[in-house]
């Protein structure tokens, strides 16, 4: 009986957060004036989305490529950075870590114009690789923090025992510590994927080729019809397509995600 109010509260919160997605799902197949689905229920709005300019397949491919590159770059850099901050002591370590975290206080929109100029000089402007590198930079402060507390939660005896058995630093990291911090890696990867998949303002500034647009930017451009009329049906269909991979990925990795956040709390 004591847990009943908690279940009611969590159930209510779940419905509150699911309501927008359910509303978008229903609206995407219901008849609406000014959309491809005028009469009856059907998938007319999804056909509009599928046939828009380069096609939804191309935009999904762009979003997937950018998201996977962002995840790979973020995991690689944050893994090494978190390991260094947690396992090694060197002059200025804590100061450097604070400077890394201080980047979180800078509104990332203010950095986009300088990054646009830099990418243009490097020949990476209007490219998916350049977009992924910028999104990785925005993820690194939080990712490095998560990986540091994940490595700090691993008992020192584990790495010391591996080194006594003849493992070098790299082998200890790859074969002993990485499996131990897997929940933290999954948490960082999930955050990086969701941020890259849903980001709008960064590709808006950095991508000008319509064939290279990720899905959020394509949906935003598609919603405008002639004379400024908004195609709400196609927009809702785009929202559903955008949300589904995120929901499925989060539900599949939920257990590891929670363990990753709890790793720092369970230190010692």
């Amino acid at each position: 009986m004591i847990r009943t109010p908690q279940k009611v509260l969590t159930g209510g919160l779940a419905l509150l957060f699911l309501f927008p997605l359910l509303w978008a799902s229903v609206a995407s197949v219901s008849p609406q004036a000014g959309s491809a689905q005028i009469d009856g229920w059907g998938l007319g709005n999804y056909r509009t989305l599928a046939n828009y300019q380069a096609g939804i397949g191309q935009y999904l491919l762009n979003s997937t490529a950018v998201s996977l590159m962002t995840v790979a770059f973020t995991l690689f850099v944050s893994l090494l950075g978190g390991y260094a901050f947690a396992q090694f002591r060197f002059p200025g370590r804590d100061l450097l870590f604070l400077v890394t975290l201080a980047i979180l206080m800078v509104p990332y929109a203010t950095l986009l114009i300088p990054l646009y100029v830099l990418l243009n000089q490097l020949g990476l402007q209007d490219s998916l690789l350049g977009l992924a590198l910028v999104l990785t930079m925005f993820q690194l402060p939080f990712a490095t923090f998560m990986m540091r507390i994940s490595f700090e939660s691993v008992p020192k005896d584990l790495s010391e025992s591996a080194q006594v058995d003849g493992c070098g630093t790299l082998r200890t990291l790859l074969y002993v510590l990485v499996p131990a911090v897997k929940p933290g890696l999954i948490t960082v990867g999930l955050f990086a994927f969701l941020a890259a998949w849903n980001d709008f303002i960064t590709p808006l500034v950095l991508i000008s080729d319509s064939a290279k647009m990720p899905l959020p930017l394509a949906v935003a451009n598609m919603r405008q019809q002639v004379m400024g009329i908004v195609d709400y049906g196609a927009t809702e269909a785009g929202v559903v397509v955008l949300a589904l991979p995120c929901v499925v990925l989060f539900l599949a990795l939920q257990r590891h995600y929670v363990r990753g956040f709890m790793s720092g709390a369970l230190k010692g």
Side-chain angles (χ1 to χ4, degrees):
M1 296 296 293
I2 299 179
R3 298 184 60 184
T4 300
Q6 297 177 356
K7 293 180 179 179
V8 172
L9 177 61
T10 54
L13 289 174
L15 290 176
L16 180 64
F17 285 112
L18 284 174
F19 179 75
L21 181 58
L22 295 175
W23 179 277
S25 301
V26 173
S28 67
V29 296
S30 61
Q32 296 186 42
S35 69
Q37 192 65 39
I38 300 177
D39 299 320
W41 298 68
L43 302 177
N45 294 318
Y46 289 93
R47 286 192 289 270
T48 300
L49 180 65
N51 297 323
Y52 176 71
Q53 291 189 2
I56 189 175
Q58 181 62 48
Y59 299 130
L60 281 172
L61 181 62
N62 295 341
S63 289
T64 302
V66 170
S67 300
L68 292 180
M69 284 191 290
T70 302
V71 170
F73 296 155
T74 301
L75 288 177
F76 178 75
V77 178
S78 65
L79 176 69
L80 298 180
Y83 175 68
F85 281 122
Q87 299 292 323
F88 301 109
R89 295 190 175 275
F90 51 88
R93 182 190 68 166
D94 294 335
L95 178 61
L96 180 60
F97 185 66
L98 289 176
V99 171
T100 302
L101 293 182
I103 301 175
L104 291 171
M105 296 186 292
V106 180
Y108 80 95
T110 62
L111 302 175
L112 289 178
I113 300 304
L115 289 172
Y116 178 92
V117 175
L118 177 62
L119 290 177
N120 189 46
Q121 294 174 348
L122 295 175
L124 294 175
Q125 191 271 328
D126 201 20
S127 71
L128 299 183
L129 176 59
L131 177 60
L133 290 174
V134 171
L135 292 173
T136 299
M137 185 198 71
F138 295 146
Q139 291 300 307
L140 283 179
F142 169 77
T144 304
F145 168 76
M146 281 297 303
M147 292 314 303
R148 178 178 180 174
I149 63 175
S150 295
F151 278 114
E152 287 179 344
S153 67
V154 178
K156 292 283 187 180
D157 296 341
L158 194 63
S159 58
E160 292 174 355
S161 299
Q163 292 173 356
V164 168
D165 290 337
C167 289
T169 301
L170 183 59
R171 288 178 60 86
T172 301
L173 172 62
L174 294 179
Y175 297 107
V176 177
L177 295 179
V178 167
V181 299
K182 186 174 70 171
L185 286 171
I186 292 176
T187 302
V188 167
L190 183 60
F191 259 82
F193 180 89
L194 295 179
W197 183 267
N198 293 303
D199 194 272
F200 172 76
I201 189 171
T202 307
L204 177 65
V205 174
L206 300 180
I207 301 295
S208 56
D209 187 350
S210 61
K212 297 180 180 178
M213 292 189 302
L215 188 56
L217 189 56
V219 170
N221 289 340
M222 180 194 62
R223 65 192 295 266
Q224 293 293 337
Q225 291 186 337
V226 294
M227 300 180 65
I229 298 175
V230 178
D231 188 348
Y232 288 106
T235 303
E236 299 292 357
V239 169
V240 173
V241 174
L242 274 169
L244 279 178
C246 301
V247 173
V248 171
L249 194 61
F250 177 80
L251 292 177
L253 301 176
Q254 181 182 13
R255 178 169 57 90
H256 300 286
Y257 172 81
V258 174
R259 287 178 58 194
F261 265 116
M262 291 296 294
S263 61
L266 297 176
K267 179 183 176 183

